[in-house]
Amino acid sequence: MVDVSKAQDGGIIKKILTEGAGDTPSTGNEVSVHYTGRLLDGSVFDSSKDRDQLFKFKVGTGQVIKGWDEGIVTMKRGEVAILTCKPEYAYGASGSPPKIPPNSTLEFEVEMHDFYGEDCTESSDGGVLKSTTVAGTGLSNPREGATVKISWVMSHMDRELEKRSAEFILGDGAAHDIVPGIETALLKMKKGETAKVTVKSLYAYGNVGNAELAVPGAADLTYLLTLESFEQAKYKYEMDGAEKIKFAEQVKQWYQRRVREYQTFQHYFKQINLSHEISFRATGLFGGCLQR
């Protein structure tokens, strides 16, 4: 048995019943567990198994009792453990009537099923998942238009393909050869934070890949990303005259780049369609259809 409380005050005692494998969840990860909660006399006050439904929550964010926030992050997939939580790590002096009396020490038998990073995408499609490895500082995240300074190491299938740093305006990453998934993750990060970011191909280099970086088509990538610093962009009402003129010029340049990117995109797909048509004609597929 081991004390897994951050304060090392005996508040959370962990006893492993079944060893797990692999890594452990990070703050902000969504975890899926089965659990049974008991008082010290052995009486059960709650169980996800009785409901036959896994319990899911974001660990380390205050969605559950303190004993879980600090204890669950020590568990591996497949691990089964008993977490014994003192009252100050459970429901405290008030308890949770009617099942949990005041000042109760509780035992939770917890089975870790799975966990994954915070979904940073607006559509919650799992395309950009972030797991914090080093916590950042402050309460704010950079917003669109902020000047950010970042560094990262990108890998595919455990093979390092890129190591870079950059300073740019958030929302303008394409002009600096930064994939959309990086910008999506940065909107959820704090200053000084380092995170493992898993980026699906849709938010990286798509089906085309990147020959220069040896990224194959349809490749999901892993980034170890650090937000070193950022400076928020001012809202328009906060700007003076000169700043408004500069901002308008930046918007104009941004729009012009997007138009060029769209035109390139259209040209690319026209070429694909043309090559397919030529291929079909060469194999007689079009001719055969017309003759019929």
Side-chain angles (χ1 to χ4, degrees), residues 132-291:
T132 301
T133 57
V134 178
T137 59
L139 299 175
S140 63
N141 311 102
R143 58 178 181 260
E144 193 92 1
T147 299
V148 297
K149 185 176 181 181
I150 66 173
S151 59
W152 71 88
V153 176
M154 180 268 284
S155 59
H156 175 247
M157 304 289 287
D158 295 324
R159 185 164 60 96
E160 184 178 313
L161 301 180
E162 182 184 40
K163 187 174 184 179
R164 268 187 67 192
S165 60
E167 185 172 350
F168 66 102
I169 295 174
L170 194 53
D172 201 23
H176 300 267
D177 298 321
I178 294 171
V179 299
I182 290 295
E183 295 195 275
T184 300
L186 287 170
L187 292 169
K188 301 287 187 177
M189 294 180 69
K190 302 285 194 299
K191 179 181 178 181
E193 179 179 344
T194 297
K196 178 183 177 183
V197 182
T198 302
V199 180
K200 297 290 186 182
S201 61
L202 179 65
Y203 292 86
Y205 296 103
N207 291 328
V208 178
N210 185 311
E212 184 179 346
L213 297 176
V215 176
D220 299 337
L221 305 176
T222 301
Y223 289 82
L224 188 63
L225 175 65
T226 299
L227 175 55
E228 296 175 5
S229 64
F230 68 89
E231 182 179 346
Q232 295 286 27
K234 289 184 178 180
Y235 289 109
K236 193 172 181 180
Y237 68 84
E238 298 175 316
M239 299 178 183
D240 58 28
E243 288 172 328
K244 288 180 180 178
I245 293 173
K246 182 179 179 181
F247 175 73
E249 182 61 29
Q250 288 174 337
V251 171
K252 178 182 176 181
Q253 292 174 1
W254 180 89
Y255 177 76
Q256 290 173 338
R257 279 195 295 270
R258 292 300 179 268
V259 170
R260 288 196 296 269
E261 289 170 4
Y262 178 70
Q263 290 171 340
T264 302
F265 180 80
Q266 280 189 316
H267 176 73
Y268 172 75
F269 274 94
K270 282 181 180 178
Q271 294 300 313
I272 290 178
N273 291 335
L274 178 60
S275 66
H276 284 179
E277 183 177 337
I278 292 172
S279 175
F280 286 143
R281 287 185 183 277
T283 56
L285 293 176
F286 278 107
C289 291
L290 291 172
Q291 288 171 2

Side-chain angles (χ1 to χ4, degrees), residues 4-158:
V4 294
S5 65
K6 291 182 180 178
Q8 289 293 288
D9 58 4
I12 314 167
I13 302 300
K14 176 183 174 184
K15 179 181 179 181
I16 296 177
L17 303 180
T18 303
E19 293 283 353
D23 54 357
T24 57
S26 303
T27 297
N29 281 186
E30 182 162 310
V31 301
S32 302
V33 301
H34 263 315
Y35 71 92
T36 299
R38 299 183 179 89
L39 302 177
L40 290 184
D41 64 7
S43 57
V44 175
F45 59 82
D46 191 18
S47 176
S48 64
K49 292 185 176 181
D50 290 345
R51 297 187 293 274
D52 194 27
Q53 184 176 8
L54 289 168
F55 179 58
K56 299 180 180 181
F57 65 99
K58 288 186 177 181
V59 69
T61 63
Q63 293 184 356
V64 291
I65 61 173
K66 186 178 180 181
W68 273 43
D69 266 345
E70 295 190 15
I72 296 294
V73 294
T74 69
M75 296 184 66
K76 301 176 180 179
R77 289 181 179 86
E79 181 178 325
V80 181
I82 293 177
L83 300 177
T84 302
C85 304
K86 286 187 174 180
E88 54 269 33
Y89 286 85
Y91 294 96
S94 59
S96 183
K99 293 186 176 181
I100 301 175
N103 294 309
S104 293
T105 295
L106 305 177
E107 286 186 349
F108 295 93
E109 184 174 322
V110 183
E111 180 181 345
M112 173 65 78
H113 275 250
D114 201 5
F115 55 87
Y116 49 88
E118 176 186 1
D119 191 341
C120 300
T121 63
E122 290 185 2
S123 57
S124 299
D125 60 11
V128 182
L129 300 177
K130 178 178 77 74
S131 296
T132 301
T133 57
V134 178
T137 59
L139 299 175
S140 63
N141 311 102
R143 58 178 181 260
E144 193 92 1
T147 299
V148 297
K149 185 176 181 181
I150 66 173
S151 59
W152 71 88
V153 176
M154 180 268 284
S155 59
H156 175 247
M157 304 289 287
D158 295 324

